[in-house]
Amino acid sequence: MKLTILGGGGFRVPLVYRALLADRGEGRVTRVVLHDVDAARLAAIDRVLAEQAAGVPGAPAVTVTADLDEALRGADFVFSAIRVGGLAGRAADERVALAEGVLGQETVGAGGIAYGLRTVPVAVHVARRVAAVAPDAWVINFTNPAGLVTEAMSRVLGDRVIGICDSPVGLARRVARVLGVDPADAWPDYVGLNHLGWLRGLRVGGRDVLPGLLADPELLGSFEEGRLFGADWLRSLGAVPNEYLHYYYFGRETVQAYREAAGADGTRGAYLLRQQAGFYEDAARPGVKALDAWLRTLAEREATYMAANRAASGDTGGRAEEDLEPGGYEQVALALMRAVARGERTTLVLNVRNGSALPGLDADAVVEVPCVVDANGARPVAVDPLPYHAVGLVTAVKAVEREVLEAAATGSREAAVKAFALHPLVDSVTVARRLLEAYRREHPGLAYLA
Ligand code: G6P
Ligand code: MN
């Protein structure tokens, strides 16, 4: 089994490789090809992987290449985890948005739109190359904004592209943990778009255990989303939202927190730009154990995840030990690959075309819902409709995504302005126009918008 990783020089690649090393099952991945446009990053990650594989019998062989077609040829699975414009681009997305007083997070609000506008054309190119040279491969998309990018690729690859995110899994796992339930026995009624969904129930043995959590303020205060949103608001909603909904429900506070972060340690993008540059430099140094440098950097990255949001909600205690446990990101990918490759049926929350699963959205809209996965791929399970307020957010953001896809397909500046202007977290058409101009000045990758 050959796995190609696009963005092979990316920081999270060793997580995936670590999971592969632990997989002893039949039909497991035996060859890994890393593709990246940055040779230095590729070399650093290659070193980490070599140190991880040392002494592990039957470790998947790793090769690296800068040639996309060569990387794709013969692939059974393609993981796409690219970052167009790099972390410098992410930092710029945040800076430009903040200068207009709006949110510039990489997947939410103006930042997500800017990131989407420069990523979609590249993702579509990748999809076309997959269709041409590896038409039988399954594409697993990690690239953010994951829902939008998956939808762009699905226009070329249909249901052979599946988007993944570890946030819904992490949320369901945390809720199961505080309720003393084995996550493997629990069915999450989780519905929405990527980074815009709600856990509305958690069924165990045919019974919904979520109401028990919502009724218990102490339990609600004992896990991340509970502290982020506060017990009262979760009770009002009757659901536990994805952590990224913090940017919607606490819009002013999160913009303010980003502002404060910008003046201190830097926004998330600016911080990671610095932190990651340090890692890649270290990992290239002779005599340095690249794996140790990676583990250190990973621990720091996890510990500071969403720090600004936690500060905004008054949660100053740092992240709980259990929340730092690895296993989200790479385990979803591995579980998905196993189910497809071995035909072992399972259910996972994934980003797929809606079909008729979620009422109110069209069939081609990529949604994030529980899916049945087997050798035929992932099929969304029909879910109950969302309440009106959630329908409003989901359809508004899907409309934004559609304008981004239109802009990327046609080069229409008008569509790009519309994308910014229609977003619930951008409150003025004038601001939308200025945002597009500022982003165009910042990113050469947006020059295609005429
Ligand atoms: C979560 C999100 C991902 C995101 C990751 C890392 O897992 O679901 O989409 O890429 O966090 O966030 P960071 O801010 O560390 O890059
Ligand atoms: Mn995600």
Side-chain angles (χ1 to χ4, degrees):
M1 197 71 63
K2 170 178 166 177
L3 167 67
T4 296
I5 304 184
L6 307 178
F11 185 74
R12 287 210 180 72
V13 170
L15 285 174
V16 176
Y17 192 64
R18 184 161 74 185
L20 295 178
L21 284 172
D23 182 14
R24 315 306 304 167
E26 196 159 321
R28 71 203 172 87
V29 170
T30 49
R31 277 193 302 152
V32 175
V33 177
L34 306 181
H35 171 272
D36 207 290
V37 293
D38 185 326
R41 287 166 60 90
L42 208 46
I45 294 300
D46 193 29
R47 266 183 82 183
V48 177
L49 268 45
E51 291 176 28
Q52 285 179 304
V56 181
V62 178
T63 51
V64 303
T65 176
D67 184 313
L68 180 61
D69 282 10
E70 185 192 314
L72 294 175
R73 220 163 271 129
D76 297 290
F77 290 95
V78 177
F79 282 7
S80 181
I82 59 176
R83 185 176 285 285
V84 180
L87 283 168
R90 179 170 172 182
D93 287 345
E94 295 169 339
R95 200 172 53 237
V96 166
L98 274 188
E100 284 294 347
V102 296
L103 186 76
Q105 207 278 333
E106 66 160 340
T107 60
V108 179
I113 295 169
Y115 190 25
L117 284 169
R118 66 178 185 278
T119 305
V120 165
V122 180
V124 168
H125 170 72
V126 166
R128 291 195 177 124
R129 293 322 301 157
V130 172
V133 305
D136 294 331
W138 291 93
V139 177
I140 301 176
N141 179 60
F142 290 106
T143 301
N144 268 333
L148 167 65
V149 169
T150 302
E151 186 162 324
M153 296 182 91
S154 77
R155 290 182 174 186
V156 181
L157 295 168
D159 293 329
R160 291 196 84 85
V161 59
I162 300 167
I164 70 171
C165 174
D166 55 334
S167 288
V169 194
L171 169 57
R173 210 165 47 180
R174 284 188 281 277
V175 167
R177 192 188 65 227
V178 300
L179 287 168
V181 167
D182 182 351
D185 298 334
W187 172 275
D189 178 12
Y190 180 95
V191 176
L193 304 182
N194 179 238
H195 291 188
L196 188 73
W198 295 262
L199 183 72
R200 310 178 298 178
L202 192 71
R203 297 215 173 86
V204 183
R207 208 170 55 85
D208 185 4
V209 295
L210 196 64
L213 171 66
L214 293 173
D216 188 332
E218 205 166 306
L219 278 186
L220 283 173
S222 70
F223 71 107
E224 215 147 82
E225 284 83 356
R227 287 190 295 273
L228 204 54
F229 294 101
D232 291 346
W233 183 236
L234 294 186
R235 243 192 326 273
S236 298
L237 285 174
V240 186
N242 184 293
E243 55 200 349
Y244 284 80
L245 271 150
H246 196 234
Y247 294 111
Y248 290 86
Y249 292 138
F250 295 87
R252 288 184 187 209
E253 291 83 354
T254 50
V255 169
Q256 181 57 26
Y258 254 66
R259 255 205 206 114
E260 280 160 22
D265 232 20
T267 52
R268 184 68 176 161
Y271 163 76
L272 288 176
L273 176 61
R274 247 189 0 257
Q275 190 227 26
Q276 298 277 301
F279 160 71
Y280 283 96
E281 262 168 43
D282 273 0
R285 244 176 235 138
V288 166
K289 283 227 168 16
L291 179 55
D292 290 346
W294 179 76
L295 285 167
R296 254 195 325 272
T297 314
L298 177 69
E300 206 180 274
R301 183 172 189 160
E302 295 296 323
T304 52
Y305 176 65
M306 281 200 148
N309 300 65
R310 277 180 282 118
S313 63
D315 179 8
T316 50
R319 296 188 79 194
E321 202 57 42
E322 314 85 82
D323 295 332
L324 297 171
E325 263 172 35
Y329 176 82
E330 66 281 14
Q331 293 308 340
V332 190
L334 197 66
L336 170 57
M337 258 195 329
R338 273 190 191 148
V340 173
R342 299 173 199 166
E344 287 168 9
R345 185 163 299 172
T346 187
T347 37
L348 294 166
V349 175
L350 298 167
N351 287 268
V352 296
R353 292 197 289 187
N354 180 43
S356 55
L358 179 58
L361 288 178
D362 61 62
D364 293 335
V366 165
V367 292
E368 193 168 80
V369 292
C371 295
V372 175
V373 195
D374 60 18
N376 297 305
R379 273 180 319 284
V381 172
V383 293
D384 291 337
L386 286 163
Y388 281 165
H389 112 270
V391 169
L393 281 177
V394 162
T395 49
V397 170
K398 184 52 77 182
V400 169
E401 291 184 358
R402 289 284 162 83
E403 295 302 333
V404 173
L405 293 173
E406 168 76 11
T410 63
S412 161
R413 216 153 148 158
E414 197 183 340
V417 167
K418 215 169 153 192
F420 285 109
L422 293 179
H423 199 286
L425 297 180
V426 176
D427 56 354
S428 147
V429 175
T430 313
V431 169
R433 291 187 180 124
R434 282 204 303 260
L435 281 168
L436 179 62
E437 286 326 300
Y439 280 128
R440 267 173 48 89
R441 280 195 297 276
E442 198 70 48
H443 298 303
L446 295 184
Y448 73 90
L449 292 167

